[in-house]
Amino acid sequence: MSLDQWHHIGSIALLCTGLYIVISRDNLVKKMMGLNIFQVAVIFFYVTMGKVTGGTAPIIPADAHGHEVLYSNPIPHVLMLTAIVVGVATTALGLSLIVRIQEAYGTAEEDEIVRLDLEEIG
Amino acid sequence: MPIEALLFVLLVVLALAIAHMRDLFAAAMLFSIFSLLSAGMFTLMDAVDVAFTEAAVGAGISTVLILGTLALTSNEERNGPFRLTPLLVCLGLGATLIYGTRDLPVYGDPGAVVHHHVAPEYIEGSHNIHIPNVVTTVLASYRGYDTFGETTVVFTAGLGVLLLLGGAARRRDPEEEAAPQATSEVTS
Amino acid sequence: MFAVCMVGLLITMVLAMVRAIAGPTVFDRILAANAFGTQTVLMIAVSGFLAGRPEWLDLALVYALMNFIGVIAVLKFVRFGNLASDQPGRPT
Amino acid sequence: MDPAAILALVIDALSWAFLMGGAFFCVVSAVGMLRMPDFYTRCHAAGLGDTMGVALIFIGLGLQADGDLMVLIKLAFTWAFIWITGPIATHALVKAAYARGFAIEDNTPTAGAAHAD
């Protein structure tokens, strides 16, 4: 492992932080924030892979006639564009589920919800 | 090491601060800063379209959605006990993943395999059909059905939100009518 | 010269981030987030010139808009939605 | 030395001065935001970066735009936008804080800040 791979180390550090928030916190809104951090980590993993040293954004300048310009790889950008939009859609859905859970149970803490469920059964 | 590495450190610090913060409103503010910073980094990494999308939907809408949820639920997190197992799981996963990335190319390597398969073809094609933005070309032309599927997903999610929050279940109960209306004034 | 300017902006971002994490009140955090947004706009504008692609200013414009909308939305929640959690006796 | 080279030199020197001045104002505003004792004075410090820092940096960038009209228009729009919205946001922030009962005269915030973490 070398420090030239700092982008992988950084993405993985973010990913682990997001995962830690998701599995260790009881509050559901906090869990959604953790999921978002997780998502940003994955996006970074892709985008850093697409970067080419000395390259520029994959937008062809108006005065470029040949193919002498070096561009960064556009494919990870396209994939992550889709991922961001879908991620926001899932965030909205998850947060509205949390609102319904709050209305039904009166709390947004996971262990409280489990306790209330168990009381209802037993 | 380039400037992005420093920003990455800031990003990880922010994520840890979000994990530490018990006040959920403060965590939401830090989350908005997190989105802004990540979008700035996308610009530095030449992913201007990703930064654009992150600006429009990530930094703006996610924060507002989280704030709206906080207005309807509690905004203080209960102080739970410290748990060791999740920390160990995360550290183990991180170590495994870092071990797995040892063979991957270094940052900005122009000789990496990923840059030499279809990417030059897409850039060439975009050049030939006179669309300056390669990402637009790929998104709308080469992967048009993919984008169509994406809009379907967003539509379905919007439908789900409408069913959950404004659906028939609430209209049946006239006493509960007052409470959602009072809260909808807040979110509008 | 853009690089030197960028360094100044980065120092500003770090300091604003420290204020956002340290708090102590909710309004300090909103203020820091607002300042951070302005710094992001500046950073994107300067980085466009740094990379020799000033077209990226579109992005800075979008950020300026989003930042303003975000801050006003947050303040609306604080003012009318009673979201700021640091006052006892708020209706939840 | 022909006039074009002198002009280029003058423009470079001017944009150096403007960019450095802008960066200086930004750093000063951030230091003020960190060091000022209470919320209202921090708002005052933050306003510095929103107006002076942005203005100087954008003038410096505009000098470097090589007369590209589209770039100049975008710069002018962004600048005007931040100049209008920055003070509005700060004003709304202070108003919200005042409505929540932060004291102005003494440096001890009232009930609002007493329970902050």
Side-chain angles (χ1 to χ4, degrees):
Chain A
M1 186 179 80
S2 70
L3 275 181
D4 285 338
Q5 287 184 325
W6 57 265
H7 57 303
H8 291 141
I9 302 170
S11 305
I12 288 165
L14 270 186
L15 191 127
C16 291
T17 316
L19 185 69
Y20 176 71
I21 296 177
V22 173
I23 61 181
S24 77
R25 295 281 182 264
D26 280 326
N27 191 289
L28 293 174
V29 182
K30 197 69 171 281
K31 273 179 199 279
M32 285 311 292
M33 287 185 200
L35 269 181
N36 266 302
I37 291 173
F38 196 96
Q39 181 200 348
V40 169
V42 174
I43 292 170
F44 266 114
F45 186 71
Y46 272 74
V47 168
T48 48
M49 267 191 167
K51 168 79 179 160
V52 176
T53 306
T56 179
I59 298 173
I60 299 167
D63 50 356
H65 298 298
H67 307 293
E68 72 279 356
V69 191
L70 181 65
Y71 300 107
S72 287
N73 195 341
I75 300 171
H77 304 177
V78 178
L79 299 178
M80 288 309 107
L81 223 59
T82 312
I84 288 177
V85 176
V86 171
V88 169
T90 42
T91 305
L93 198 58
L95 288 175
S96 55
L97 269 174
I98 293 173
V99 171
R100 291 295 288 159
I101 288 172
Q102 167 83 26
E103 279 174 9
Y105 288 86
T107 176
E109 303 275 340
E110 198 189 10
D111 49 351
E112 289 274 315
I113 294 165
V114 172
R115 194 176 54 79
L116 288 172
D117 268 349
L118 287 179
E119 273 174 13
E120 201 166 315
I121 295 168
Chain B
M1 233 189 269
I3 202 165
E4 294 98 306
L6 171 75
L7 289 176
F8 232 131
V9 175
L10 293 187
L11 213 56
V12 175
V13 170
L14 265 179
L16 290 174
I18 291 174
H20 176 72
M21 205 68 74
R22 291 288 170 180
D23 182 354
L24 287 175
F25 185 86
M29 282 340 290
L30 288 183
F31 189 74
S32 113
I33 293 185
F34 183 85
S35 298
L36 280 170
L37 183 60
S38 62
M41 282 181 69
F42 290 141
T43 320
L44 290 177
M45 288 168 178
D46 295 340
V48 277
D49 294 270
V50 182
F52 215 89
T53 318
E54 177 81 21
V57 299
I61 295 180
S62 286
T63 314
V64 174
L65 285 178
I66 288 177
L67 285 175
T69 313
L70 287 183
L72 296 176
T73 62
S74 138
N75 78 64
E76 191 82 28
E77 194 182 355
R78 238 178 350 89
N79 242 328
F82 175 76
R83 295 175 189 139
L84 192 62
T85 327
L87 190 65
L88 289 180
V89 167
C90 290
L91 287 179
L93 180 77
T96 318
L97 285 177
I98 286 177
Y99 175 74
T101 59
R102 283 197 323 167
D103 292 337
L104 289 180
V106 297
Y107 182 68
D109 181 13
V113 185
V114 64
H115 303 316
H116 292 284
H117 183 48
V118 282
E121 204 169 302
Y122 281 155
I123 291 170
E124 183 92 358
S126 183
H127 212 274
N128 289 340
I129 59 176
H130 305 292
I131 295 176
N133 193 339
V134 184
V135 175
T136 310
T137 313
V138 180
L139 198 70
S141 176
Y142 287 98
R143 289 177 171 269
Y145 284 112
D146 197 3
T147 310
F148 181 63
E150 174 195 337
T151 47
T152 314
V153 170
V154 174
F155 175 73
T156 315
L159 217 58
V161 172
L162 276 181
L163 285 174
L164 278 171
L165 292 184
R170 294 197 176 190
R171 238 161 264 141
R172 238 180 283 130
D173 203 351
E175 293 127 73
E176 278 191 12
E177 196 77 288
Q181 278 197 347
T183 47
S184 73
E185 275 173 18
V186 173
T187 43
S188 64
Chain C
M1 79 184 107
F2 300 125
V4 184
C5 189
M6 194 83 153
V7 172
L9 294 179
L10 282 178
I11 295 171
T12 315
M13 285 171 108
V14 173
L15 294 179
M17 219 182 84
V18 171
R19 175 47 76 198
I21 292 176
T25 64
V26 162
F27 292 103
D28 285 304
R29 295 203 165 98
I30 301 172
L31 181 71
N34 187 23
F36 201 91
T38 311
Q39 296 310 314
T40 314
V41 172
L42 285 175
M43 190 184 88
I44 289 171
V46 174
S47 76
F49 278 84
L50 189 65
R53 303 291 296 271
E55 306 99 281
W56 294 358
L57 278 171
D58 290 345
L59 217 55
L61 196 53
V62 171
Y63 271 96
L65 284 161
M66 286 316 297
N67 192 34
F68 177 65
I69 293 171
V71 170
I72 292 302
V74 168
L75 287 173
K76 191 164 185 235
F77 281 124
V78 172
R79 188 81 172 78
F80 302 106
N82 219 343
L83 249 178
S85 65
D86 53 6
Q87 190 159 327
R90 76 202 150 75
T92 305
Chain D
M1 213 173 184
D2 65 315
I6 294 175
L7 186 66
L9 198 69
V10 168
I11 285 181
D12 264 3
L14 271 180
S15 49
W16 259 106
F18 277 118
L19 284 175
M20 290 312 107
F24 173 75
F25 270 105
C26 283
V27 174
V28 164
S29 91
V31 171
M33 214 155 53
L34 206 61
R35 299 274 306 162
M36 286 290 189
D38 73 343
F39 171 70
Y40 294 103
T41 47
R42 279 178 210 141
C43 272
H44 161 73
L48 206 66
D50 268 357
T51 51
M52 219 42 204
V54 171
L56 290 180
I57 286 181
F58 275 14
I59 290 174
L61 290 180
L63 286 174
Q64 286 292 315
D66 291 332
D68 188 339
L69 192 64
M70 207 57 220
V71 170
L72 286 176
I73 289 173
K74 283 176 197 166
L75 273 176
F77 264 95
T78 319
W79 177 19
F81 202 78
I82 295 182
W83 255 28
I84 295 169
T85 60
I88 290 177
T90 314
H91 172 77
L93 189 60
V94 173
K95 214 175 152 193
Y98 186 66
R100 289 292 304 273
F102 275 37
I104 290 188
E105 280 83 13
D106 51 351
N107 279 340
T108 51
T110 50
H115 292 264
D117 53 335

